[in-house]
Amino acid sequence: TKEARVAVLGAAGGIGQPLSLLLKQMPIVSHLNLYDIAHVMGVASDLSHIESRAKVQGFLGPDNLRPCLDGADIVLIPAGVPRKPGMTRDDLFNTNAAIVRDLTAAVAESCPKAMLGIITNPVNSTAPIASEVLKKHGVYDPRRAFGVTTLDVVRSNTFIAEAKGLDVSKTNVPVIGGHSGITIIPLISQCTPPVSFPPEERVKLSMRIQNAGTEVVDAKAGAGSATLSMAFAAAEFCKSLIEALNGQEGKVQCAYVRSEETEAKYFATPVLLGKEGIEKNLGMGKLLDVEVNLLKAAMPELIANIQKGEQFVGDSK
Ligand code: APR
């Protein structure tokens, strides 16, 4: 197995900790660098006792951010504040936008060739923020910057497999668009294996997938948003990325990336991963009329979210 040096920024958080645990368990990870502004030395110490290959190191506070990033192949960013009941992902914008901007600036300086996965919400805006920051530093490569939307696929797979009594490990539903509410567009018509639903049931299922984040926020009743399922999804995404970097062919993941598929500059679709990141955008395929309608409904919000992100970086020049 080759080396894969992974850095997690925000590693002591509700997502960061289980994500770090899952990465620590992967034999393909050689180094796991954990950064946070609080509590991270304890997390790193704890994880470092696990008998798996990855060498774990903690990095606490801004002075240690650059050392954390040195030599990273992949950087995952779940740093930020989570959503509380009644908040939309967009309400998080101001705090999290600044966090992503500043962390990405450090990535641009310390490991400009790293693959970057943005988890911090609102991803529809924070992924464009990261890209704009990389651009400002002259190191932007759209093949290497991702908004992590794997959780939307994970949820779709789970809910559809449950509804149809399928083996979930063999169920795969592409999800396109963005990562918030109506911008999430599950392509149920492209599910493997093929499934069909009466129209009403299909609508309900789509809506449940779009609102699944809120389902968790409400159930957690003030304690935050999805952490364990998000960590699982991000670890899956990261695993595909590492495997592709190491020369495995045919790795496909849905991700929110710079795109020419639609009039939105960033758009999630299945992408083929390779040694340099995105090898090919596989596009959205042929949509059913109902899916075209979901897409139409998503576009204004998605485009506004992207503009908000770009504007934020523009304003902070
Ligand atoms: N640099 C590094 N880490 C930071 C910074 C920063 N500037 N600001 C906050 N953090 C850390 C916190 O110290 C905390 O450990 O980010 C972590 C966030 O953890 P939680 O508050 O538990 O939030 P979590 O549920 O993990 O969600 C984080 O991911 O999906 C998104 O919507 C979610 O935007 C939210 C983010």
Side-chain angles (χ1 to χ4, degrees), residues 9-16 35-39 77-83 89 92 96 99 103 119-123 179 223-227 230:
L9 312 184
I15 295 167
Y35 172 80
D36 205 297
I37 51 171
H39 309 300
I77 306 188
V81 294
R83 197 152 63 107
R89 287 194 181 90
L92 303 174
N96 287 356
I99 292 173
L103 292 175
I119 296 166
T120 309
N121 274 311
V123 163
H179 183 57
S225 48
T227 54
M230 182 58 238

Side-chain angles (χ1 to χ4, degrees), residues 154-176:
V154 166
R155 285 170 169 155
S156 302
N157 295 348
T158 303
F159 300 165
I160 287 173
E162 266 171 16
K164 288 285 168 190
L166 301 171
D167 175 352
V168 72
S169 69
K170 297 194 178 93
T171 306
N172 190 38
V173 185
V175 182
I176 63 168

Side-chain angles (χ1 to χ4, degrees), residues 1 16-17 36 51 56 75 77 81-82 91 99 105 109 111-112 128 137 169 181 184 193 209 266 268 299 314:
T1 322
Q17 288 200 38
D36 205 297
E51 52 178 352
V56 180
V75 180
I77 306 188
V81 294
D91 292 332
I99 292 173
E109 285 165 17
C111 52
H137 284 78
S169 69
I184 298 168
I209 293 164
Y266 298 83
M299 290 316 279

